[in-house]
Amino acid sequence: QVQLVESGGGLVQAGGSLRLSCAVSGGTFSTYSMAWLRQVPGKEREIVATITWSSSNTYYADSVKGRFTISRDNAKNTVYLQMNSLKREDTAVYLCAGQPWGSVPALRLLQEYRYWGQGTQVTVSS
């Protein structure tokens, strides 16, 4: 079955950077549109960034635009999230998720994601 494993989380000071990775196995990664989401206890899961299977389109939540960059390497079956200028409010569990052949509209819908990782904790201290 398809497995998604996130890594790269940790504790960082405000203003610092982290790069998250999500390694995908057991499927055809090049056909999956991918997303990074984050979860804070008591709040709705938020879509942070998405990238289509063709890499032709990316999307960023307003809260991270200009600071975060999503990318993918199909040769390594991995999607990345480069996070710069981190703020305390970026503290969350970050998850990756995938949709086979996901379209741009579908990537905005949580219920359309078929594959999910377990998440990696990112904590930003002041």
Side-chain angles (χ1 to χ4, degrees), residues 31-34 97-103 106-107 109 112-115:
T31 68
Y32 301 159
S33 294
M34 300 296 297
Q99 292 184 20
W101 307 110
S103 65
L107 288 172
L109 303 174
E112 294 296 322
Y113 287 91
R114 185 179 300 181
Y115 308 120

Side-chain angles (χ1 to χ4, degrees), residues 1 19-20 31 33 39 43 47 55-56 61 64 71 79 83 87 91-92 95 99 101 103 105-106 110 125:
Q1 72 269 24
R19 189 175 83 151
L20 305 182
T31 68
S33 294
Q39 179 81 64
K43 292 189 177 181
I47 296 172
S55 299
S56 62
V64 307
S71 62
V79 61
M83 304 187 296
K87 305 175 181 180
T91 296
L95 308 97
Q99 292 184 20
W101 307 110
S103 65
L110 291 177
S125 64

Side-chain angles (χ1 to χ4, degrees), residues 8-56:
L11 175 64
V12 63
Q13 286 192 329
S17 298
L18 282 175
R19 189 175 83 151
L20 305 182
S21 300
C22 171
V24 180
S25 62
T28 309
F29 176 73
S30 61
T31 68
Y32 301 159
S33 294
M34 300 296 297
W36 284 98
L37 305 93
R38 63 189 181 187
Q39 179 81 64
V40 175
K43 292 189 177 181
E44 286 190 7
R45 191 169 285 182
E46 177 188 15
I47 296 172
V48 173
T50 67
I51 186 167
T52 53
W53 59 271
S54 62
S55 299
S56 62

